[in-house]
Amino acid sequence: MKYYLTTPIYYVNAAPHLGTAYSTFAADLIKRFKKMEGYDPVVLTTGSDEHSLKVERAAQAADVNPLAYTTKMAAEFISQWAKLGIDYDHFIRTSDPKHHETVRWLFERCKKNGYIYKGSYTGAYCVSDEAYVNDVNPGDPCPTCGNPTETVTEENYFFKLSAFQKPLLELYEKSPEFVKPDHRRNEMIAFVQQGLNDLSITRTNIQWGIPAPVEGHHVFYVWFDALISYMSAVKDDDLWPADLHLIGKDILRFHAVYWPAFLMAADLPLPKKIFAHGWILHEDNKMSKSRGNVVRPGPIVDVVGADALRYFLLREITFGQDGSFSYDALIQRYNADLANGLGNLASRTLTMIHQYRNGVIPDSPGSSDIAEAARRTTEITMDAFCEFNFSRGLETLWSFISVIDKFIVERAPWKLGKDTSDFAQKMLDEVLYSAAEALRILSAWTHPVMPNSARNIWIQLGMTAPIESVTFADLHWGKLPAGQKIGSVAAVFPRVDASAIVKMENLEVQEKARQAELFGAAKAAVSSAVTPEASAAAGGEKISIDDFVKVELRVGQVVSAERVKGADKLLHMKVDIGEEQPRTIVAGIAESYPAEAMLGRKVVIVANLAPRKLRGIESNGMIVAASLEGGKPVLAGFLEDVPVGARLK
RNA sequence: GCCGGCGUAGCUCACUUGGUUAGAGCGACGGUCUCAUAAUCCGUAGGUAGCAGGUUCGAGUCCUGCCGCCGGCACCA
């Protein structure tokens, strides 16, 4: 029976970091686990999401065509995955002609079934960026460049998402396994119950995208492109539907709502399961470029190996929840679990077999207590892994390790070795066989999580069949052949000390610089010292002084401020900017600035912004604040005292 | 603001439907063994189960209120 699973396809504007590596590690683990369960073939798809205006611009700035640009970026992912030892089968790029064909095919099917219509899309458009701005109301300032947006209407193709409210709710109801974990499923139900709006699925202002098979220039918009790659990758292989889409919680809605709706519209089978995992936090903070706390996997792999990182992430973090990464915690777990635990068990067991039995596995049925412990360990771990509860599964395996360690100490084989009586020698055989057999089972079990280290132990045990071919049927007690000659012993997880952290941190600095150069190739072509983000933030083009003076910035003083009822972020203020009446301004700053703190405060106001109603209150202007990605706004202010009404220019 | 979740030892978490002195791993401390990677093993310390009430013979477990944290939506950016 086949098993087809996918990672998200990764957007090529940023290099792989710990979060993307995490998704991919987990997918790789599940692939190997499913193989052990006996599924065949087990196919894993990953890839790159390459179309967008932003990519088009970045390529332009780098003075290369978009395909050349994204090829370079995709190559970075491919080389990272190689370094991390990811065993994927397909790397699908959305720029692949095969994918273009699939997208158009799916579009035609949806259209034939009556779920596509041409309509007009009205949205906020930023003239200076020449781009539609999503999730912004017309008249709001553009989030990228800050210029006011305009309301523009454009002919677009729409997907009738609204028609799928009921079918989706039925799907969630009938297939409780479709969205996992359960609380995510509940969120999706709540979201769909609120009603669904049709989706605009094409754009006319983008060149770098998949042309829609319609009159005029229309290119498919992100989700009616990226999602379909899961299908494109295996279109000819009879693998659809996917058994699992593994994703991060941030893109759940697209996978759990849009994607099944597209497929239903096209009358195609639905994926079996969408599993949303959590985020990796860096020392309890969300990783983001603007905070500069992004951790990359490469340096960690260079110092402690990919297996150690994989083990850490999957053991430390309950799969599905957010979790925290720190170099410190990594090293601690490495030493405690891998070096002192599994590594040491392998080392002591194999050394004793060399020492007392000339490197030959003794002939003994082993201890029945240990055999029973092994059986229960497999049973519990199997349940945990089947539910993708990897941390629980690993915990179970490690408690088995401690059972063996305890068993060895109780039987004291080093004493038995000195006792030549038959009884003692038979007992010694039993101890050594039990430990070795436990080790064989443990290495097979840990193979999906730590492929290289597990193979290492497997080979040291003298096993000849490739560990990749092991299935759970091979895990029964007693399958370790007596008389087998074991290999030479070498530490699988040498202990590391705090200097490893320094090494990783130093390498991280280098890796950051390397990636910045790679992904910042645009900067050389644009202008001397601007990064791609900065140039994008500046709108990608220069404006004249005339453009600037159109924006009337004035100093104002807050004369009253109160929270807007029913909104977390809104502050309703009256601001004196030297006019007869104070202006009414509603601003989304309440989370960082309580009303009391605003009273009397001098602020910078965009005075000639078109009025806009927010929660029923007409706002006449906007307060200038630094807006950090994912962070709270910080108000602009002055170091010297400035009279109310003064113009900024 | 609406909906949902969580709050148990220094850290990470467990405790099946309410039932004896609330457990585990890591970390700390003390001891032990010598096969082993200053590893293993044994032991010790450490918890008013967020706070306050209530139901009950009995509550970490059920109910209410409050405090704190998180997620989704709204809203904002």
Side-chain angles (χ1 to χ4, degrees):
Chain A
M1 200 157 62
K2 67 91 187 174
Y3 192 90
Y4 175 47
L5 76 162
T6 66
T7 73
I9 57 169
Y10 301 109
Y11 189 36
V12 293
N13 79 327
H17 56 263
L18 216 48
T20 45
Y22 181 53
S23 305
T24 313
F25 279 148
D28 182 79
L29 155 65
I30 294 168
K31 174 178 175 179
R32 294 173 197 267
F33 172 69
K34 288 293 163 185
K35 271 190 167 172
M36 285 180 75
E37 275 196 287
Y39 286 90
D40 184 44
V42 182
V43 177
L44 169 60
T45 285
T46 185
S48 52
D49 176 16
E50 304 187 4
H51 299 306
S52 79
L53 189 64
K54 202 170 171 183
V55 168
E56 189 177 321
R57 287 246 177 84
Q60 207 173 12
D63 206 20
V64 291
N65 68 51
L67 184 60
Y69 180 83
T70 58
T71 298
K72 195 170 158 190
M73 301 315 164
E76 173 67 10
F77 278 85
I78 290 169
S79 81
Q80 288 284 322
W81 291 170
K83 181 168 188 166
L84 302 188
I86 305 300
D87 180 25
Y88 60 85
D89 299 275
H90 299 288
F91 190 97
I92 184 74
R93 300 177 54 190
T94 55
S95 57
D96 189 326
K98 182 167 80 174
H99 175 243
H100 286 213
E101 202 182 293
T102 313
V103 171
R104 287 196 209 97
W105 170 78
L106 192 83
F107 176 78
E108 296 286 14
R109 281 186 73 115
C110 293
K111 198 174 166 196
K112 197 166 62 187
N113 290 339
Y115 293 110
I116 303 288
Y117 64 94
K118 194 174 180 178
S120 57
Y121 171 86
T122 301
Y125 185 80
C126 174
V127 183
S128 80
D129 279 354
E130 292 177 31
Y132 280 97
V133 182
N134 292 300
D135 306 326
V136 159
N137 291 303
D140 279 2
C142 168
T144 25
C145 71
N147 289 313
T149 54
E150 292 177 9
T151 304
V152 166
T153 298
E154 185 188 66
E155 292 273 283
N156 272 323
Y157 286 86
F158 279 74
F159 176 79
K160 249 187 184 164
L161 185 64
S162 55
F164 292 92
Q165 183 177 14
K166 266 188 194 161
L168 284 167
L169 290 172
E170 280 167 25
L171 169 67
Y172 305 142
E173 178 67 28
K174 276 187 201 155
S175 315
E177 295 293 305
F178 182 69
V179 180
K180 280 280 171 178
D182 292 334
H183 68 275
R184 297 287 164 205
R185 171 170 168 266
N186 294 339
E187 284 173 15
M188 288 303 106
I189 292 171
F191 176 76
V192 173
Q193 274 172 343
Q194 291 190 333
L196 296 168
N197 295 320
D198 290 349
L199 284 180
S200 162
I201 56 165
T202 64
R203 289 295 126 98
T204 55
N205 63 313
I206 305 175
Q207 299 303 313
W208 175 236
I210 301 173
V214 293
E215 289 282 307
H217 176 76
H218 286 270
V219 153
F220 286 109
Y221 191 58
V222 56
W223 293 108
F224 204 94
D225 172 349
L227 289 164
I228 299 164
S229 65
Y230 299 138
M231 194 172 239
S232 316
V234 297
K235 186 100 187 303
D236 310 318
D237 304 338
D238 197 24
L239 286 165
W240 195 260
D243 294 274
L244 171 68
H245 291 312
L246 199 58
I247 57 167
K249 65 181 184 183
D250 48 326
I251 52 174
L252 177 60
R253 188 193 302 174
F254 308 106
H255 286 76
V257 180
Y258 298 0
W259 183 221
F262 293 166
L263 290 166
M264 287 182 204
D267 203 16
L268 292 166
L270 271 36
K272 299 283 194 292
K273 188 195 290 283
I274 316 285
F275 192 104
H277 68 245
W279 284 333
I280 308 287
L281 309 175
H282 182 23
E283 285 161 3
D284 298 329
N285 295 306
K286 190 182 166 187
M287 279 192 245
S288 74
K289 272 199 281 187
S290 60
R291 286 180 197 231
N293 65 345
V294 176
V295 176
R296 292 149 187 86
I300 299 168
V301 170
D302 287 338
V303 177
V304 294
D307 283 355
L309 177 58
R310 290 168 70 119
Y311 175 79
F312 174 83
L313 294 174
L314 292 155
R315 169 63 185 85
E316 183 89 359
I317 301 166
T318 302
F319 200 59
Q321 297 188 312
D322 289 356
S324 206
F325 172 85
S326 72
Y327 291 110
D328 218 44
L330 170 74
I331 294 306
Q332 191 179 312
R333 209 167 254 294
Y334 176 95
N335 281 332
D337 291 4
L338 298 179
N340 299 353
L342 182 58
N344 185 243
L345 177 64
S347 177
R348 69 194 307 201
T349 301
L350 295 165
T351 302
M352 285 190 285
I353 291 172
H354 274 294
Q355 198 164 319
Y356 301 123
R357 289 294 179 264
N358 289 314
V360 175
I361 303 286
D363 189 3
S364 164
S367 151
S368 59
D369 287 351
I370 300 299
E372 173 57 16
R375 193 193 61 72
R376 286 193 37 235
T377 297
T378 289
E379 192 178 275
I380 298 170
T381 308
M382 180 68 92
D383 285 349
F385 273 45
C386 283
E387 292 169 0
F388 299 155
N389 192 345
F390 306 117
S391 54
R392 172 68 67 84
L394 288 167
E395 193 182 355
T396 306
L397 292 176
W398 257 254
S399 67
F400 182 51
I401 290 176
S402 91
V403 166
I404 309 303
D405 272 330
K406 191 175 196 163
F407 171 74
I408 291 173
V409 168
E410 278 168 0
R411 299 296 177 95
W414 45 94
K415 283 178 186 158
L416 296 171
K418 289 171 190 156
D419 184 340
T420 52
S421 74
D422 273 5
F423 177 80
Q425 290 304 309
K426 230 179 156 87
M427 180 79 91
L428 181 56
D429 283 347
E430 184 182 281
V431 175
L432 296 180
Y433 186 87
S434 300
E437 174 61 337
L439 196 58
R440 183 188 69 91
I441 291 168
L442 281 163
S443 60
W445 254 119
T446 49
H447 167 251
V449 181
M450 303 185 287
N452 289 321
S453 311
R455 188 183 306 112
N456 194 345
I457 297 172
W458 188 255
I459 288 168
Q460 289 188 33
L461 268 170
M463 302 303 294
T464 47
I467 196 168
E468 290 79 7
S469 68
V470 170
T471 68
F472 288 114
D474 300 319
L475 292 191
H476 291 302
W477 187 262
K479 292 250 178 184
L480 175 67
Q484 175 166 285
K485 181 94 180 126
I486 66 169
S488 57
V489 185
V492 187
F493 303 107
R495 258 185 98 77
V496 296
D497 58 33
S499 70
I501 297 177
V502 178
K503 267 189 224 163
M504 287 188 281
E505 283 171 342
N506 288 340
L507 287 169
E508 169 65 27
V509 172
Q510 289 172 29
E511 176 70 351
K512 188 175 179 176
R514 184 188 71 79
Q515 288 184 348
E517 194 182 340
L518 178 69
F519 283 79
K523 79 179 165 196
V526 183
S527 62
S528 48
V530 220
T531 65
E533 280 89 6
S535 69
E541 57 186 84
K542 307 289 185 211
I543 60 167
S544 71
I545 185 78
D546 299 333
D547 290 326
F548 174 70
V549 296
K550 284 182 196 161
V551 181
E552 188 188 334
L553 296 172
R554 290 200 181 272
V555 175
Q557 185 164 27
V558 178
V559 294
S560 75
E562 60 183 58
R563 289 286 292 269
V564 175
K565 252 202 300 181
D568 284 347
K569 298 183 182 173
L570 292 181
L571 222 48
H572 176 186
M573 288 169 285
K574 291 205 187 303
V575 182
D576 178 8
I577 57 168
E579 297 170 328
E580 283 143 47
Q581 291 294 320
R583 294 270 191 120
T584 295
I585 293 182
V586 180
I589 57 172
E591 283 183 315
S592 4
Y593 297 93
E596 314 83 78
M598 291 306 295
L599 273 180
R601 181 156 177 158
K602 296 250 172 86
V603 291
V604 178
I605 300 297
V606 181
N608 60 341
L609 200 62
R612 197 196 145 195
K613 274 199 171 180
L614 295 169
R615 282 267 155 162
I617 303 161
E618 187 174 272
S619 179
N620 293 281
M622 133 185 185
I623 294 190
V624 178
S627 47
L628 307 166
E629 193 185 329
K632 292 179 176 173
V634 179
L635 291 176
F638 297 94
L639 297 173
E640 287 86 19
D641 196 35
V642 186
V644 159
R647 173 135 192 212
L648 281 76
K649 49 187 175 180

